[in-house]
Amino acid sequence: MPTDDRTLTREQVLDAYRTVLRARTLDDRRFVLNRAGKLAFIISPRGHEVAQVAAITALQPGRDRFCLYYRNFAAALACGFTPEELMLSAFARAADPSSGGRQTPGNFGSRRRGVIIGSSTVGPQIPKAAGIGLALKWKGEGALCYVSFGEGATSQGDFHEGLNFAAIHRCPVIFFCENNRWAISVPQPLQVAGPGVAERAAGYGIPGVRVHGDDFFAVHLAVRQAAERARIGDGPTLIEAEVLRLQSHSTDDDQRAYRDAAELAAEAARDPIPRMRDMLIQRGWLTAEDDAGLRAEVDREVERATEAAEAAADPEPGSLGRHVYADA
Ligand SMILES: Cc1ncc(C[n+]2csc(CCOP(=O)(O)OP(=O)(O)O)c2C)c(N)n1
């Protein structure tokens, strides 16, 4: 796969790396808070971060629309959510911008960033993105809709309906599958028939691309090319990024119960973040001292975000029915 040096500056790639570090550091902190009984439930992006940030870096938050899924913590940061906002959501505080503390953390929503809130159900964001894509095509502004999901979601009817509709109407949509090979405890061969996800694009007559999700430039290039096609009216693309699930499905799961210990150890040794750091060092874009400095800055940022979110107010109990029942 060619790299994509021509379109990204050193600053943009370092900025992306900072976002990746933010996602990981926030995730580590959320785990500690969960174990301390302060956060009820979290879903980790661990292993997916580089792919998520590389993809969003090829798009235009504020112009494009984003239908993210619950594992898209790093993607949400790349779309412009701040660490404090994501912590407000984790603590279910009133100031959480996604839902005012009402939704499961991981259902990201922000009107000004074009992030369209979803639900925890697997798959419905996919046909929704196809419809949004059609609306964007009618508006003729050259914007596109990006939608992400796991490989397990590709066995849902929603996936097939969404791809079919977007392909027929040549909607400007990027279907981005983060394939970590597990749908909770169900491995890919028991969930996805056929050789993989990218091949499914052929059934709808659209391009299907498979990329290594730990290769920042490869993911970025695949998404940029899909975006170029979408913006000139060439329709949707399906991208399958191969990623690692370095954590259990959620804090309510323990993957050691159903995954081989040797496989887990081998995957842990292939963590994409050190790989991205080494790539930056090899290019002369980062030194080990820069890296340490950056990590210390991100640690402080996450510390501040945690303190602010923990101290923030809960939603008013009297507002419990808001957005659920019509206001009297
Ligand atoms: C329609 C529906 N079925 C089942 C579930 C329970 N569930 C939540 S996440 C999940 C696994 C999805 O796996 P995948 O799409 O591969 O994404 P991943 O979580 O691995 O990133 C399942 C079965 C759900 N939320 N919605």
Side-chain angles (χ1 to χ4, degrees), residues 138-158:
W138 285 339
K139 284 185 165 188
E141 295 164 3
L144 60 82
C145 186
Y146 169 92
V147 56
S148 51
F149 44 88
E151 83 291 346
T154 71
S155 65
Q156 295 286 112
D158 280 347

Side-chain angles (χ1 to χ4, degrees), residues 43 48 69-71 120-123 149-154 156 178 180 182-184 245 249:
I43 296 192
H48 292 226
Y69 86 113
Y70 49 78
R71 206 172 292 289
S120 300
T121 320
V122 169
F149 44 88
E151 83 291 346
T154 71
Q156 295 286 112
E178 300 178 24
N180 61 24
W182 290 88
I184 310 185
R245 197 184 81 189
H249 174 75

Side-chain angles (χ1 to χ4, degrees), residues 169-203:
H169 298 286
R170 298 176 85 77
C171 301
V173 180
I174 300 176
F175 296 98
F176 191 78
C177 176
E178 300 178 24
N179 183 356
N180 61 24
R181 300 185 302 109
W182 290 88
I184 310 185
S185 56
V186 181
Q188 180 176 336
L190 295 181
Q191 185 78 44
V192 183
V197 174
E199 286 78 3
R200 295 183 163 198

Side-chain angles (χ1 to χ4, degrees), residues 13-227:
V13 181
L14 285 177
D15 205 41
Y17 180 59
R18 176 194 283 268
T19 303
V20 162
L21 290 181
R22 269 190 188 133
R24 179 63 63 91
T25 311
L26 274 163
D27 193 53
D28 287 344
R29 183 61 57 89
R30 292 188 312 156
F31 257 84
V32 171
L33 291 165
N34 170 267
R35 292 300 183 250
K38 292 189 174 186
L39 301 186
F41 171 79
I42 64 166
I43 296 192
S44 171
R46 204 176 186 89
H48 292 226
E49 299 98 329
V50 169
Q52 291 179 11
V53 176
I56 304 295
T57 306
L59 303 173
Q60 298 176 18
R63 179 189 188 199
D64 296 328
R65 308 297 195 276
F66 299 85
C67 294
L68 303 179
Y69 86 113
Y70 49 78
R71 206 172 292 289
N72 278 168
F73 206 65
L77 287 166
C79 282
F81 280 83
T82 65
E84 185 174 330
E85 287 175 329
L86 294 182
M87 274 297 184
L88 284 165
S89 153
F91 277 102
R93 299 305 195 221
D96 155 35
S98 293
S99 70
R102 286 165 163 76
Q103 283 240 35
T104 309
N107 292 326
F108 309 100
S110 170
R111 183 185 287 265
R112 70 189 166 89
R113 299 177 181 118
V115 179
I116 288 130
I117 198 155
S119 70
S120 300
T121 320
V122 169
Q125 75 274 26
I126 303 172
K128 198 194 295 178
I132 292 167
L134 185 62
L136 292 172
K137 181 179 164 179
W138 285 339
K139 284 185 165 188
E141 295 164 3
L144 60 82
C145 186
Y146 169 92
V147 56
S148 51
F149 44 88
E151 83 291 346
T154 71
S155 65
Q156 295 286 112
D158 280 347
F159 170 81
H160 299 281
E161 291 172 37
L163 262 73
N164 188 55
F165 187 92
I168 288 171
H169 298 286
R170 298 176 85 77
C171 301
V173 180
I174 300 176
F175 296 98
F176 191 78
C177 176
E178 300 178 24
N179 183 356
N180 61 24
R181 300 185 302 109
W182 290 88
I184 310 185
S185 56
V186 181
Q188 180 176 336
L190 295 181
Q191 185 78 44
V192 183
V197 174
E199 286 78 3
R200 295 183 163 198
Y204 302 102
I206 64 171
V209 183
R210 181 176 292 115
V211 279
H212 291 297
D214 61 350
D215 184 335
F216 178 85
F217 286 110
V219 175
H220 183 268
L221 181 63
V223 176
R224 183 166 62 78
Q225 289 177 338

Side-chain angles (χ1 to χ4, degrees), residues 232-255:
I232 62 170
D234 276 358
T237 303
L238 172 63
I239 298 172
E240 175 184 7
E242 295 176 312
V243 293
L244 302 175
R245 197 184 81 189
L246 298 180
Q247 262 296 356
S248 298
H249 174 75
S250 72
T251 44
D252 288 353
D253 174 42
D254 183 352
Q255 62 179 346

